[in-house]
Amino acid sequence: MPGWIIELFGSAQLERAFWWITLIPLPLWIALILFQKQAWFAYIAHPLTLPLLPIPLWGYIIYQIITVFGSPGFQEVTFSDTRDFLGHPLIFLALWTQLQIVNLFVGVTIYQHGRQAKINVTVELILAWILAPIAILICAFRFGLKKWF
């Protein structure tokens, strides 16, 4: 199904799905920030467990793409074909969900390294929710400073 038809008739549903995808990991981020010093939370906050929680949402979106609407494919691997493929609203939602999962993985990794180095990483965790590359840069700078001094 063409993306413009989905956007025309389902714009409210797409907007709602975007916000659900963005906000579903929020309790996990809040827990990472509030329970940084709690020993029991260190067992839960592992990069290979905590980011698994939003994966069923990603799987549901992939199911919607493949089963309900069909997979919007492309004939060649060129810039314009790939851009058109990624411009499909359901593909965008799947990629946005994937980005949230990767950002959560980065956040949990920053949490663990901060815990080991005994550094408060609240700012990096807040940034990692949406801007993980900047959080990684700040984290690397802070951990580097601690190592040198």
Side-chain angles (χ1 to χ4, degrees):
M1 183 177 292
W4 67 270
I5 291 176
I6 295 171
E7 287 186 34
L8 179 67
F9 293 107
S11 63
Q13 291 87 349
L14 290 171
E15 186 73 25
R16 235 184 342 256
F18 171 79
W19 283 110
W20 272 103
I21 292 166
T22 304
L23 296 175
I24 279 178
L26 185 60
L28 303 174
W29 287 107
I30 291 171
L32 280 171
I33 292 166
L34 294 180
F35 301 128
Q36 283 185 52
K37 306 294 183 205
Q38 304 297 325
W40 62 268
F41 191 69
Y43 293 109
I44 299 170
H46 190 276
L48 298 177
T49 57
L50 205 57
L52 294 177
L53 296 176
I55 287 181
L57 177 63
W58 178 81
Y60 177 73
I61 293 170
I62 296 297
Y63 167 78
Q64 290 293 321
I65 291 168
I66 293 171
T67 306
V68 178
F69 297 108
S71 180
F74 50 92
Q75 289 74 28
E76 299 178 47
V77 181
T78 63
F79 174 75
S80 60
D81 287 336
T82 305
R83 183 187 61 215
D84 292 343
F85 176 75
L86 296 176
H88 192 280
L90 293 175
I91 298 295
F92 172 77
L93 288 177
L95 291 174
W96 184 249
T97 306
Q98 199 167 317
L99 180 66
Q100 295 301 311
I101 293 167
V102 170
N103 286 354
L104 190 56
F105 176 82
V106 168
V108 173
T109 304
I110 288 172
Y111 163 81
Q112 282 193 329
H113 286 297
R115 187 167 169 76
Q116 289 172 354
K118 295 181 178 28
I119 295 176
N120 186 345
V121 290
T122 302
V123 172
E124 290 88 343
L125 290 173
I126 293 170
L127 283 173
W129 182 28
I130 302 294
L131 303 169
I134 294 173
I136 293 170
L137 182 66
I138 293 171
C139 193
F141 181 73
R142 286 185 64 202
F143 289 158
L145 282 178
K146 185 173 188 328
K147 185 177 180 182
W148 290 335
F149 298 107

